[in-house]
Amino acid sequence: MRVHYYYHISKTGGTSVLEFFKHVANHVPRCRLYDFNDWDNLSPTQKDIDFDSILARDNLAKYDHVLIHHHHGYRGLMHYEAYLCAKKKELARDGHTMKIFTTIRDVVSFNRSRLNYLVNTGRWSGPVSDFTTNEIHFNTQTKYLFFCWHGEWPSAEGTGPITIDVVNQQVHEKNIDRLSDVIDLFVEISHLSDFIKAFAAYFQTPYDYSARSNATLHRIQFDPLIIPGLLRNNSSDCYLIDRYRNKDFSSEVDHFLAGRENDLEHDGDGSANNHVPRPKR
């Protein structure tokens, strides 16, 4: 049994991944999709995902494949870090595999897409200079990786006590590297079609892997003169992309879709750690 868990950072092609997951769940036998996205009904504070129920032995016994989509309205990866790392080892000991991936995007392209999305949906009407110099919009990919932080909406709309000050205290390179231990594969969206193509071959299901969902019309372009400042203001996102961009995409995807031989890591004494910490409350 195999779990594929997608942590969906906004504006990084994730709707296309979700559409592919839905296709797989509808066409592959003994496959279940758990879709955690409350964008249309955000609660005042983020919700917990009941991983204990999803990953329980009696539940996993029902399926050959479990797909998880983790997006708006739920606690971020930093909250579940220790639990997920330990759970991977526990599942591997039971003969299962859990692979976690996320998608990331070139910093300029990401911010251009995000600004156009906000303008197109009526969430932003100010000048471009205000968007690129307002700290609430800095390092949004990193903030989302850590906290499911979606940026410009106040805490009453989905993040509760996780304020911009709380977020900024955690946004630095060491925490990016620490959380990278949870992720089995970072996929740059320039490789997204090839990734979905390989994923479809893994599931042996035909799929139009070139199709993109929720694409944003980019009417607004950045003046080249503001790009150096944009990159400076988004230095953590620049680090994330530079450090975890795909160096050898084909090999990375092959490894990701391979068996569980690398899933069970051992402690220094040669024995696997049996303790799975509970997610923080």
Side-chain angles (χ1 to χ4, degrees):
M1 202 290 309
R2 193 173 179 109
V3 179
H4 285 111
Y5 175 165
Y6 175 47
Y7 188 85
H8 177 179
I9 298 171
S10 292
K11 308 313 298 174
T12 62
T15 305
S16 297
V17 176
L18 176 59
E19 290 303 310
F20 172 69
F21 271 9
K22 290 177 179 178
H23 172 86
V24 171
N26 287 330
H27 291 85
V28 174
R30 288 174 52 84
C31 182
R32 170 73 186 271
L33 168 62
Y34 292 91
D35 183 10
F36 296 100
N37 178 20
D38 275 1
W39 177 240
D40 293 326
N41 188 30
L42 289 175
S43 60
T45 57
Q46 290 175 317
K47 299 176 182 178
D48 279 309
I49 296 175
D50 186 3
F51 286 115
D52 281 341
S53 295
I54 297 169
L55 302 175
R57 286 186 176 93
D58 59 346
N59 189 54
L60 295 182
K62 303 172 187 175
Y63 309 109
D64 293 328
H65 303 282
V66 167
L67 308 173
I68 299 173
H69 172 244
H70 182 168
H71 199 33
H72 287 311
Y74 292 85
R75 295 180 187 272
L77 203 59
M78 186 170 278
H79 181 80
Y80 295 111
E81 170 195 4
Y83 176 85
L84 290 173
C85 285
K87 197 67 178 178
K88 284 184 183 181
K89 297 177 184 178
E90 179 190 281
L91 291 173
R93 287 192 298 274
D94 288 343
H96 306 311
T97 297
M98 179 162 68
K99 294 287 189 175
I100 302 175
F101 70 100
T102 192
T103 41
I104 54 177
R105 187 171 188 170
D106 169 81
V107 171
V108 175
S109 174
F110 173 84
N111 279 277
R112 183 175 61 239
S113 177
R114 190 162 177 270
L115 174 58
N116 276 278
Y117 169 79
L118 295 176
V119 170
N120 293 346
T121 57
R123 292 182 171 92
W124 181 265
S125 58
V128 172
S129 59
D130 285 359
F131 176 85
T132 59
T133 57
N134 185 332
E135 72 163 354
I136 205 163
H137 300 296
F138 297 171
N139 299 306
T140 301
Q141 292 184 83
T142 303
K143 292 171 181 176
Y144 205 101
L145 180 70
F146 289 5
F147 293 108
C148 269
W149 172 265
H150 45 69
E152 54 286 326
W153 295 275
S155 61
E157 294 188 52
T159 53
I162 302 177
T163 64
I164 186 63
D165 292 333
V166 171
V167 170
N168 283 338
Q169 287 173 7
Q170 299 296 331
V171 174
H172 52 77
E173 293 176 4
K174 287 183 178 179
N175 277 343
I176 294 173
D177 290 337
R178 199 185 85 216
L179 281 182
S180 72
D181 291 339
V182 185
I183 304 291
D184 295 287
L185 180 66
F186 291 85
V187 179
E188 291 179 84
I189 69 164
S190 57
H191 294 296
L192 187 58
S193 292
D194 288 337
F195 176 64
I196 293 176
K197 178 182 179 181
F199 228 164
Y202 168 84
F203 283 110
Q204 299 182 339
T205 180
Y207 190 73
D208 181 6
Y209 54 86
S210 64
R212 292 292 181 92
S213 302
N214 197 31
T216 299
L217 180 62
H218 290 177
R219 293 187 177 92
I220 299 171
Q221 301 293 326
F222 289 144
D223 185 328
L225 294 176
I226 74 167
I227 289 177
L230 176 72
L231 296 176
R232 283 194 302 273
N233 290 337
N234 290 273
S235 58
S236 291
D237 276 9
C238 288
Y239 177 82
L240 172 68
I241 304 304
D242 291 343
R243 178 76 173 81
Y244 296 104
R245 70 171 62 255
N246 301 119
K247 310 298 191 298
D248 184 351
F249 181 72
S250 254
S251 296
E252 291 169 33
V253 173
D254 287 347
H255 181 79
F256 176 80
L257 295 175
R260 74 181 190 97
E261 61 273 9
N262 295 306
D263 295 341
L264 181 57
E265 297 179 2
H266 296 281
D267 297 328
D269 62 359
S271 61
N273 182 356
N274 291 318
H275 174 62
V276 178
R278 302 283 297 177
K280 294 174 285 188
R281 300 294 180 192

